[in-house]
Amino acid sequence: MRRNCALLQPSNIRLPRDAKPQCGVATPRCQLVDPDNPLFYHIVSRCVRRSWLCGFDRHSGRDYTHRKDWLVRRLEQLGQAFAVDIYAYAIMSNHFHLVVYHDPKVSHRWSDYEVVDRWLRACPPKLPDGTIDEDLREIQWRAYLSDANKVRRMRAKLGSVSVFMKLLKQPIARRANLEDSCTGHFFEQRFYSGALLSEETVLAAMAYVDLNPIRARIAQSIADAEHTSIHERLKGEHCNLDDYLEPVVAGIGTAPPFQLKLETYLDRLEVLTPSATPRWQPAKLKRWHDQVFNLKKRQRVFGPEQLIKHWIEQRGWQLRETPLPR
């Protein structure tokens, strides 16, 4: 994706739920996530009733912050197995955000051996104490490799964003319900996904996600923003501000490289924090601010106007709003 400053303004186009809107009918995921072409997506999933099930619950006085670590570890496990690269994440008290690069066709190029290996890394058999049952894993490995239909189904699942989200949330929900001695849904069943059609839109989505704890006032600075991808990028002795932006968790590693260094991205984040000292021209800062906070609109797609029009024409949708003049 090459940078084109004339085209990188986010549009305020909003799209209908489907080509023929019907009350209570959601847009099929296959229309929201391109089944043929690799693309970036902003994904959001919320706890039921937007309850603070991963933070401090003021009603019960209990602190569930440790569940954020569960989600981060699960992201690392699944992100290395599925056909996604995770570029940004933020785990909040009642929801979480992701920016992922998804290639729906890459799993078809994996060998049967790699498919089984990835599947058993994502879903290893476990003993009652939670450790991996290595003996059963070896038995499953041989059984899966000898079953072509099983491998075909696993290949399709590893290439699906919906299955990725399902397997990300299900173990967390079961573990939290066990901890609370209750049953029922933990996350809302439907997750939001918005396609990101340009490099600048992807960077704006990443910034929107990484700044979530600061907007929510649970972190005072970027360095304090725990359970986010920017915190992961900056921690440790291997952090190099001269490195170009790469996935924090790579399952495929085939996304076009960003021609943007971590130091420059960090500057883009810091200018949007409340404590930032003015160092950008006002017009430039306003454009960047608008690009980032446009992500609050939960559109089906974000990007340059012409790319959005092409996207919706492919799906037989219609514009519900027209872009504001720039």
Side-chain angles (χ1 to χ4, degrees):
M1 293 180 292
R2 295 186 179 275
R3 185 170 307 207
N4 186 333
C5 296
L7 294 177
L8 294 180
Q9 301 296 331
S11 167
N12 73 335
I13 295 175
R14 293 187 181 181
L15 305 178
R17 281 196 169 280
D18 50 23
K20 297 180 180 180
Q22 301 177 25
C23 181
V25 178
T27 309
R29 188 68 61 186
C30 62
Q31 293 186 32
L32 300 177
V33 176
D34 196 309
D36 300 311
N37 302 303
L39 205 60
F40 283 88
Y41 298 90
H42 175 213
I43 295 174
V44 185
S45 185
R46 295 188 177 276
C47 297
V48 289
R49 300 180 301 280
R50 300 194 179 189
S51 299
W52 286 43
L53 300 180
C54 293
F56 181 77
D57 187 343
R58 280 172 273 184
H59 296 289
S60 66
R62 296 183 63 182
D63 188 355
Y64 298 110
T65 305
H66 58 279
R67 293 175 179 172
K68 296 181 180 181
D69 294 318
W70 298 354
L71 269 165
V72 171
R73 290 195 295 269
R74 186 66 176 163
L75 272 175
E76 292 172 349
Q77 179 183 0
L78 291 185
Q80 297 176 38
F82 274 72
V84 297
D85 287 336
I86 300 173
Y87 275 80
Y89 66 81
I91 314 299
M92 307 298 288
S93 295
N94 63 355
H95 67 285
F96 66 86
H97 293 259
L98 304 175
V99 174
V100 304
Y101 176 79
H102 170 57
D103 187 340
K105 298 295 187 181
V106 70
S107 62
H108 297 290
R109 300 193 291 270
W110 296 338
S111 67
D112 290 356
Y113 182 94
E114 184 173 2
V115 168
V116 173
D117 177 67
R118 284 174 176 264
W119 183 257
L120 288 176
R121 277 189 278 145
C123 305
K126 293 186 177 181
L127 296 168
D129 63 359
T131 60
I132 296 176
D133 187 335
E134 294 293 349
D135 293 335
L136 181 55
R137 188 177 186 274
E138 184 64 28
I139 293 172
Q140 288 183 342
W141 184 291
R142 292 194 297 269
Y144 291 163
L145 277 177
S146 63
D147 188 339
N149 288 330
K150 184 73 173 179
V151 173
R152 176 177 52 80
R153 291 192 295 270
M154 288 190 296
R155 189 186 302 276
K157 290 178 179 179
L158 289 170
S160 168
V161 169
S162 294
V163 176
F164 169 77
M165 291 296 292
K166 175 183 176 180
L167 294 183
L168 172 62
K169 297 190 292 184
Q170 273 188 347
I172 306 300
R174 286 196 296 266
R175 191 173 177 182
N177 284 347
L178 184 63
E179 185 178 57
D180 292 338
S181 300
C182 69
T183 59
H185 291 292
F186 185 86
F187 293 103
E188 292 179 350
Q189 290 181 304
R190 182 92 175 164
F191 64 89
Y192 161 80
S193 64
L196 308 170
L197 303 185
S198 69
E199 180 177 305
E200 194 73 7
T201 306
V202 175
L203 293 171
M206 290 172 60
Y208 179 81
V209 168
D210 279 326
L211 291 171
N212 252 257
I214 296 175
R215 287 200 307 276
R217 299 182 181 178
I218 61 176
Q220 299 300 315
S221 67
I222 293 170
D224 299 330
E226 296 184 350
H227 305 106
T228 64
S229 49
I230 189 59
H231 187 268
E232 178 68 24
R233 291 182 188 277
L234 295 177
K235 74 177 185 181
E237 59 183 19
H238 298 296
C239 171
N240 186 346
L241 297 180
D242 288 329
D243 287 343
Y244 289 100
L245 285 179
E246 295 181 348
V248 288
V249 183
I252 47 179
T254 59
F258 288 112
Q259 298 303 308
L260 189 74
K261 293 184 178 181
L262 177 57
E263 182 178 23
T264 307
Y265 176 66
L266 188 61
D267 180 62
R268 287 187 175 213
L269 294 182
E270 289 177 339
V271 297
L272 296 178
T273 60
S275 59
T277 55
R279 58 181 182 274
W280 283 25
Q281 293 294 326
K284 178 183 177 182
L285 180 59
K286 184 180 185 306
R287 283 196 301 271
W288 175 235
H289 179 279
D290 291 345
Q291 287 172 343
V292 172
F293 293 101
N294 189 58
L295 271 293
K296 292 191 295 185
K297 292 186 177 181
R298 296 293 185 269
Q299 297 172 183
R300 301 290 192 263
V301 60
F302 294 85
E305 181 182 344
Q306 291 302 317
L307 292 181
I308 290 179
K309 288 182 177 179
H310 177 68
W311 170 276
I312 65 174
E313 286 171 1
Q314 284 184 317
R315 287 153 179 78
W317 293 346
Q318 295 178 350
L319 291 179
R320 197 159 63 188
E321 295 180 8
T322 54
L324 293 173
R326 296 288 181 178

